[in-house]
Amino acid sequence: EQNRINIAIDGPAGAGKSTVARMVASRLQYIYVDTGAMYRAVTWYMQSHGISAENEQKVLQTVQNMVIELKPHESGQMVLLNGEDVTPFIRSQKVNSEVSRYAQIEDLRHHLVHLQRMMALSKGVVMDGRDIGTTVLPAAEVKIFMTASVKERALRRFKELDKAEGITLEQLETDIARRDRLDEEREVSPLRRAEDAVFLDTTDMNIDEVVEYITSFCRTRMDGEKEQ
Ligand code: CDP
Ligand code: CDP
């Protein structure tokens, strides 16, 4: 029986974090936690209720009165707000365009970080986001900072898209670069590689190669933990 550890995966949009984190979790029989889905669900809710990101007090008050749950699901993970499944709404262009604005609100971040830490208390968690290795789980036994060129990341996202959305590859690249910049330049827990994170450029790696690399790295760490 190997000791359970926590695994933090951070990086910019389209790097492959959620795909890989979910597969690593499944291989290790760990729980996958998608923190981006929490920021997205909150953004969708605020937009639906006409609460703008400038109205920080109202955002905080609203989120404090909300029950946010993540539930494992065959195709990844479900987000429930006050018991209602909002997963189908959180990946829209409208949410994409504003999520990084809401994610700059310091008090909102504190609230979500607290929830995320609670989810990782019993270990055996693979968590992905932007600030997991630096802020949410600074003591995680494994930290990966995953990236890829912005061209490759835009192309990956483009392939996922429904043609009906009518968005071009160039537009996607601009959107992603803009979101990267907002995430990297914000004052509270910006997107940054933790000093002790493994840097992984996946531009020329396929999904299986990345999953294999991270899983074997984790297994080595678990063995190390056991011997201590
Ligand atoms: O899947 P994708 O990489 O496009 O984004 P995501 O992981 O779903 O995160 C959406 C947005 O939420 C990011 O662009 C960040 O602005 C914010 N986020 C964050 O600030 N901190 C996290 N731990 C996770 C997401
Ligand atoms: O979570 P994040 O935004 O970092 O990326 P993702 O949503 O997991 O991955 C974006 C897309 O890239 C997905 O369609 C993956 O299947 C694809 N991908 C890939 O083609 N090669 C990789 N090495 C990783 C992901």
Short mmCIF file of all heavy atoms in Angstrom, two decimals, residues 10-15 17-18 34-37 39-40 91 96 99-101 103 109 116 128-132 136 157 179 183 186, ligand 1:
data_model
loop_
_atom_site.label_atom_id
_atom_site.label_comp_id
_atom_site.label_asym_id
_atom_site.label_seq_id
_atom_site.Cartn_x
_atom_site.Cartn_y
_atom_site.Cartn_z
N ASP A 10 -0.40 23.03 -12.69
CA ASP A 10 -0.73 24.39 -13.10
C ASP A 10 -0.22 24.66 -14.50
O ASP A 10 0.66 23.96 -15.00
CB ASP A 10 -0.07 25.40 -12.13
CG ASP A 10 -0.68 25.35 -10.74
OD1 ASP A 10 -1.89 25.61 -10.63
OD2 ASP A 10 0.04 25.02 -9.77
N GLY A 11 -0.75 25.72 -15.10
CA GLY A 11 -0.29 26.13 -16.41
C GLY A 11 -1.35 26.93 -17.14
O GLY A 11 -2.47 27.06 -16.64
N PRO A 12 -1.01 27.48 -18.29
CA PRO A 12 -1.94 28.33 -19.03
C PRO A 12 -3.03 27.54 -19.74
O PRO A 12 -3.00 26.31 -19.78
CB PRO A 12 -1.03 29.03 -20.05
CG PRO A 12 0.08 28.08 -20.27
CD PRO A 12 0.31 27.38 -18.96
N ALA A 13 -3.98 28.26 -20.33
CA ALA A 13 -5.13 27.65 -21.01
C ALA A 13 -4.70 26.78 -22.18
O ALA A 13 -3.86 27.16 -22.98
CB ALA A 13 -6.06 28.76 -21.51
N GLY A 14 -5.28 25.59 -22.27
CA GLY A 14 -5.02 24.70 -23.40
C GLY A 14 -3.73 23.90 -23.30
O GLY A 14 -3.34 23.21 -24.24
N ALA A 15 -3.08 23.96 -22.14
CA ALA A 15 -1.82 23.21 -21.98
C ALA A 15 -2.07 21.71 -21.88
O ALA A 15 -1.16 20.90 -22.07
CB ALA A 15 -1.08 23.71 -20.74
N LYS A 17 -3.90 20.49 -19.05
CA LYS A 17 -4.01 20.18 -17.62
C LYS A 17 -5.19 19.29 -17.28
O LYS A 17 -5.03 18.26 -16.63
CB LYS A 17 -4.13 21.48 -16.79
CG LYS A 17 -2.98 22.43 -16.93
CD LYS A 17 -3.23 23.70 -16.12
CE LYS A 17 -4.50 24.44 -16.49
NZ LYS A 17 -4.51 25.02 -17.84
N SER A 18 -6.39 19.70 -17.70
CA SER A 18 -7.57 18.95 -17.23
C SER A 18 -7.63 17.55 -17.84
O SER A 18 -7.94 16.59 -17.12
CB SER A 18 -8.86 19.73 -17.47
OG SER A 18 -8.89 20.26 -18.75
N ASP A 34 -11.02 20.06 -10.52
CA ASP A 34 -10.84 21.07 -11.55
C ASP A 34 -11.19 22.44 -10.95
O ASP A 34 -12.37 22.79 -10.87
CB ASP A 34 -11.77 20.72 -12.72
CG ASP A 34 -11.75 21.74 -13.84
OD1 ASP A 34 -11.08 22.78 -13.72
OD2 ASP A 34 -12.43 21.48 -14.85
N THR A 35 -10.18 23.20 -10.52
CA THR A 35 -10.49 24.48 -9.85
C THR A 35 -10.99 25.53 -10.85
O THR A 35 -11.74 26.42 -10.49
CB THR A 35 -9.27 25.04 -9.08
OG1 THR A 35 -8.21 25.31 -10.01
CG2 THR A 35 -8.79 24.06 -8.03
N GLY A 36 -10.56 25.39 -12.12
CA GLY A 36 -11.04 26.31 -13.15
C GLY A 36 -12.56 26.26 -13.26
O GLY A 36 -13.22 27.29 -13.48
N ALA A 37 -13.12 25.06 -13.08
CA ALA A 37 -14.57 24.90 -13.17
C ALA A 37 -15.27 25.71 -12.07
O ALA A 37 -16.39 26.20 -12.27
CB ALA A 37 -14.95 23.43 -13.06
N TYR A 39 -14.12 28.68 -10.77
CA TYR A 39 -14.11 30.07 -11.21
C TYR A 39 -15.11 30.28 -12.35
O TYR A 39 -15.77 31.31 -12.43
CB TYR A 39 -12.69 30.48 -11.65
CG TYR A 39 -11.76 30.63 -10.46
CD1 TYR A 39 -10.97 29.56 -10.02
CD2 TYR A 39 -11.73 31.81 -9.73
CE1 TYR A 39 -10.14 29.68 -8.92
CE2 TYR A 39 -10.90 31.95 -8.61
CZ TYR A 39 -10.12 30.87 -8.21
OH TYR A 39 -9.32 31.00 -7.10
N ARG A 40 -15.21 29.28 -13.23
CA ARG A 40 -16.15 29.38 -14.36
C ARG A 40 -17.60 29.37 -13.87
O ARG A 40 -18.42 30.15 -14.35
CB ARG A 40 -15.93 28.21 -15.33
CG ARG A 40 -14.68 28.35 -16.17
CD ARG A 40 -14.41 27.09 -17.00
NE ARG A 40 -13.26 27.28 -17.86
CZ ARG A 40 -13.30 27.90 -19.03
NH1 ARG A 40 -14.44 28.36 -19.51
NH2 ARG A 40 -12.19 28.07 -19.74
N ARG A 91 -18.54 26.57 -20.10
CA ARG A 91 -17.45 26.65 -21.10
C ARG A 91 -17.83 27.52 -22.30
O ARG A 91 -17.26 27.40 -23.38
CB ARG A 91 -17.01 25.26 -21.58
CG ARG A 91 -16.89 24.28 -20.44
CD ARG A 91 -15.58 23.53 -20.39
NE ARG A 91 -15.51 22.84 -19.12
CZ ARG A 91 -14.66 23.07 -18.14
NH1 ARG A 91 -13.70 23.97 -18.31
NH2 ARG A 91 -14.71 22.43 -17.00
N ASN A 96 -15.71 32.40 -21.00
CA ASN A 96 -14.29 32.54 -21.36
C ASN A 96 -13.83 33.99 -21.32
O ASN A 96 -12.75 34.30 -20.83
CB ASN A 96 -14.04 32.05 -22.79
CG ASN A 96 -14.01 30.54 -22.89
OD1 ASN A 96 -13.90 29.85 -21.89
ND2 ASN A 96 -14.12 30.03 -24.11
N VAL A 99 -14.04 35.31 -17.29
CA VAL A 99 -13.65 34.56 -16.08
C VAL A 99 -12.38 35.12 -15.44
O VAL A 99 -12.30 35.23 -14.21
CB VAL A 99 -13.54 33.04 -16.39
CG1 VAL A 99 -12.56 32.72 -17.49
CG2 VAL A 99 -13.22 32.24 -15.14
N SER A 100 -11.42 35.54 -16.23
CA SER A 100 -10.18 36.05 -15.64
C SER A 100 -10.37 37.39 -14.93
O SER A 100 -9.53 37.77 -14.10
CB SER A 100 -9.08 36.16 -16.71
OG SER A 100 -8.79 34.89 -17.22
N ARG A 101 -11.45 38.09 -15.26
CA ARG A 101 -11.76 39.34 -14.53
C ARG A 101 -12.28 39.00 -13.12
O ARG A 101 -11.81 39.57 -12.13
CB ARG A 101 -12.85 40.14 -15.26
CG ARG A 101 -12.48 40.52 -16.66
CD ARG A 101 -11.98 41.97 -16.70
NE ARG A 101 -11.58 42.30 -18.06
CZ ARG A 101 -10.44 42.93 -18.35
NH1 ARG A 101 -9.61 43.28 -17.39
NH2 ARG A 101 -10.13 43.21 -19.59
N ALA A 103 -11.76 36.31 -11.60
CA ALA A 103 -10.69 35.59 -10.88
C ALA A 103 -9.65 36.53 -10.28
O ALA A 103 -8.77 36.10 -9.55
CB ALA A 103 -10.02 34.58 -11.82
N ARG A 109 -11.15 34.83 -4.44
CA ARG A 109 -10.09 33.81 -4.48
C ARG A 109 -9.92 33.15 -3.11
O ARG A 109 -9.82 31.95 -2.99
CB ARG A 109 -8.76 34.40 -4.94
CG ARG A 109 -8.75 34.97 -6.35
CD ARG A 109 -7.34 35.11 -6.91
NE ARG A 109 -6.75 33.80 -7.16
CZ ARG A 109 -6.93 33.09 -8.28
NH1 ARG A 109 -7.64 33.57 -9.27
NH2 ARG A 109 -6.37 31.91 -8.39
N GLN A 116 -11.08 24.66 -1.81
CA GLN A 116 -10.16 23.74 -2.51
C GLN A 116 -9.24 23.01 -1.51
O GLN A 116 -8.99 21.81 -1.64
CB GLN A 116 -9.33 24.52 -3.53
CG GLN A 116 -10.18 25.02 -4.72
CD GLN A 116 -9.63 26.25 -5.40
OE1 GLN A 116 -8.53 26.72 -5.10
NE2 GLN A 116 -10.40 26.81 -6.34
N ASP A 128 -5.98 20.72 -10.60
CA ASP A 128 -5.39 21.58 -11.62
C ASP A 128 -5.96 22.98 -11.58
O ASP A 128 -7.09 23.19 -11.12
CB ASP A 128 -5.48 20.94 -13.01
CG ASP A 128 -6.81 21.21 -13.71
OD1 ASP A 128 -7.84 21.28 -13.02
OD2 ASP A 128 -6.80 21.34 -14.94
N GLY A 129 -5.13 23.95 -12.01
CA GLY A 129 -5.55 25.35 -11.99
C GLY A 129 -4.42 26.27 -12.40
O GLY A 129 -3.69 26.00 -13.36
N ARG A 130 -4.30 27.39 -11.68
CA ARG A 130 -3.27 28.37 -11.98
C ARG A 130 -2.34 28.60 -10.79
O ARG A 130 -1.19 28.99 -10.95
CB ARG A 130 -3.91 29.73 -12.33
CG ARG A 130 -4.81 29.71 -13.55
CD ARG A 130 -4.04 29.47 -14.82
NE ARG A 130 -4.85 29.58 -16.04
CZ ARG A 130 -5.75 28.69 -16.45
NH1 ARG A 130 -5.98 27.60 -15.72
NH2 ARG A 130 -6.42 28.86 -17.57
N ASP A 131 -2.87 28.39 -9.57
CA ASP A 131 -2.15 28.77 -8.35
C ASP A 131 -2.10 27.60 -7.36
O ASP A 131 -1.96 27.81 -6.16
CB ASP A 131 -2.86 29.96 -7.68
CG ASP A 131 -4.32 29.63 -7.33
OD1 ASP A 131 -4.88 28.67 -7.92
OD2 ASP A 131 -4.88 30.30 -6.45
N ILE A 132 -2.23 26.38 -7.85
CA ILE A 132 -2.31 25.24 -6.94
C ILE A 132 -0.96 25.00 -6.25
O ILE A 132 -0.90 24.91 -5.02
CB ILE A 132 -2.79 23.95 -7.66
CG1 ILE A 132 -4.03 24.24 -8.54
CG2 ILE A 132 -3.10 22.85 -6.66
CD1 ILE A 132 -5.19 24.88 -7.84
N VAL A 136 -2.58 27.24 -3.24
CA VAL A 136 -3.62 26.37 -2.68
C VAL A 136 -2.99 25.21 -1.91
O VAL A 136 -3.35 24.97 -0.75
CB VAL A 136 -4.58 25.84 -3.79
CG1 VAL A 136 -5.68 24.98 -3.18
CG2 VAL A 136 -5.18 26.99 -4.58
N ARG A 157 -7.43 23.77 -28.77
CA ARG A 157 -8.77 24.27 -28.45
C ARG A 157 -9.65 24.34 -29.70
O ARG A 157 -10.83 24.04 -29.67
CB ARG A 157 -8.68 25.66 -27.80
CG ARG A 157 -8.45 25.60 -26.32
CD ARG A 157 -9.64 24.94 -25.66
NE ARG A 157 -9.30 24.35 -24.40
CZ ARG A 157 -9.23 25.01 -23.26
NH1 ARG A 157 -9.46 26.30 -23.22
NH2 ARG A 157 -8.93 24.38 -22.15
N ARG A 179 -6.08 36.01 -22.05
CA ARG A 179 -6.40 35.39 -20.76
C ARG A 179 -5.09 35.02 -20.01
O ARG A 179 -4.99 35.23 -18.80
CB ARG A 179 -7.28 34.16 -21.00
CG ARG A 179 -7.93 33.62 -19.77
CD ARG A 179 -9.36 33.17 -20.03
NE ARG A 179 -9.46 32.10 -21.01
CZ ARG A 179 -9.33 30.81 -20.70
NH1 ARG A 179 -9.08 30.44 -19.47
NH2 ARG A 179 -9.48 29.88 -21.63
N ASP A 183 -4.03 36.41 -16.32
CA ASP A 183 -3.73 35.45 -15.25
C ASP A 183 -2.30 35.62 -14.72
O ASP A 183 -2.05 35.43 -13.53
CB ASP A 183 -3.94 34.01 -15.75
CG ASP A 183 -5.42 33.68 -15.99
OD1 ASP A 183 -6.28 34.40 -15.46
OD2 ASP A 183 -5.69 32.69 -16.69
N ARG A 186 -2.03 39.40 -12.74
CA ARG A 186 -2.87 39.84 -11.61
C ARG A 186 -2.05 39.82 -10.33
O ARG A 186 -1.06 39.11 -10.21
CB ARG A 186 -4.12 38.96 -11.50
CG ARG A 186 -3.82 37.57 -11.03
CD ARG A 186 -5.08 36.82 -10.58
NE ARG A 186 -4.70 35.45 -10.37
CZ ARG A 186 -5.13 34.42 -11.09
NH1 ARG A 186 -5.99 34.61 -12.06
NH2 ARG A 186 -4.71 33.22 -10.82
O1 CDP B 1 -9.52 25.17 -19.19
P1 CDP B 1 -8.84 26.50 -19.29
O2 CDP B 1 -7.36 26.36 -19.18
O3 CDP B 1 -9.29 27.33 -20.43
O4 CDP B 1 -9.26 27.35 -18.05
P2 CDP B 1 -9.72 26.88 -16.63
O5 CDP B 1 -8.69 26.05 -16.00
O6 CDP B 1 -11.09 26.35 -16.74
O7 CDP B 1 -9.72 28.27 -15.88
C1 CDP B 1 -10.50 29.36 -16.33
C2 CDP B 1 -9.99 30.65 -15.70
O8 CDP B 1 -10.20 30.59 -14.28
C3 CDP B 1 -8.51 30.93 -15.86
O9 CDP B 1 -8.20 31.61 -17.09
C4 CDP B 1 -8.21 31.79 -14.65
O10 CDP B 1 -8.54 33.14 -14.88
C5 CDP B 1 -9.16 31.26 -13.60
N1 CDP B 1 -8.51 30.31 -12.66
C6 CDP B 1 -7.77 30.84 -11.64
O11 CDP B 1 -7.59 32.06 -11.57
N2 CDP B 1 -7.21 30.02 -10.71
C7 CDP B 1 -7.37 28.70 -10.77
N3 CDP B 1 -6.83 27.93 -9.82
C8 CDP B 1 -8.11 28.13 -11.83
C9 CDP B 1 -8.66 28.96 -12.77
#
